Amino acid sequence: MNRMPKPIQTPAGTPAQPVATPSRTELIDHLVRTRIAGDVATARENNLSHYRKLANGDRHYWLGLELGDRWTDEQDVLAVMAERCGVVDDAEHRYGQDTIDPELTVAALDRMAARLRKAALDRQRVLLATGHPGGLLDVHRATAAALRDAGCEIVVVPPGLTADEGSVWQFADVAVLERGATLWHTHSPAPMAAILDGLEAAGRPLPDLVVADHGWAGCAAQRGLDAVGYADCNDPALFLGEAEGTLQVAVPLDDHVRDPRYYDPMVAYLLAAAGLR
């Protein structure tokens, strides 16, 4: 029987309802019903456009990784995305629906959980960050809270950091980019670079683990840090980084579904698998 966890605090300070830990089968069903995986909202033509731009060397789509000339064939990128994300493995499928395999999502969550378990056992320094605050902020916040309760040090971002004409700071233990009192959706690696450079300049140790997404995860991995992250099916770089061994785990999911609370059962499963519930 799953024990009900103590109530967690939302970023606004309001207690959230505790969520029972789903079984693997229950989680897969939930991912498909909420379109976190399965038939996702991201269009096939959008996916292929991003794969093409990455292959053509557009660094916006490299998410902080240095891919060199290793992924200049769009079909090679598609093959990796079919294998690791579960998009349709058919080069002739150009328009319409695309997919994320929920089995691959849960398998990646299990791999992430193993790394979180190690972080907790070793009481490591962990940095959490998101370029997708509208969807994933509370996913990272709940992870940070569980790791802190397990004895990990949640890395505090140095003050006064700037990147991409914005400020880099922490909201509920999660590093974000802020402009004009608004949290920004960003794929850029620059905010993570600012954090890592700021830590080094202050003589402070770098994180043992980074849990992030977008360019925040890619930059950390490229710097040689242990990094795990979440990625949508139109963000192929992190899956290529995992295939090459630069990024430790890339979890495939729709990173901005209609209601952020839809991610709660996924987080419950992740933390339970990591021994953090």
Side-chain angles (χ1 to χ4, degrees), residues 125-136:
R125 296 181 302 276
V126 185
L127 173 64
L128 299 99
T130 186
H132 229 306
L136 299 180

Side-chain angles (χ1 to χ4, degrees), residues 7-45:
I8 58 176
Q9 296 293 316
T10 66
T14 303
Q17 292 297 318
V19 176
T21 303
S23 67
R24 183 185 185 91
T25 300
E26 290 169 340
L27 178 59
I28 287 172
D29 178 67
H30 173 79
L31 295 175
V32 172
R33 282 189 292 104
T34 56
R35 301 185 73 184
I36 294 172
D39 291 338
V40 293
T42 310
R44 176 67 167 191
E45 48 268 40

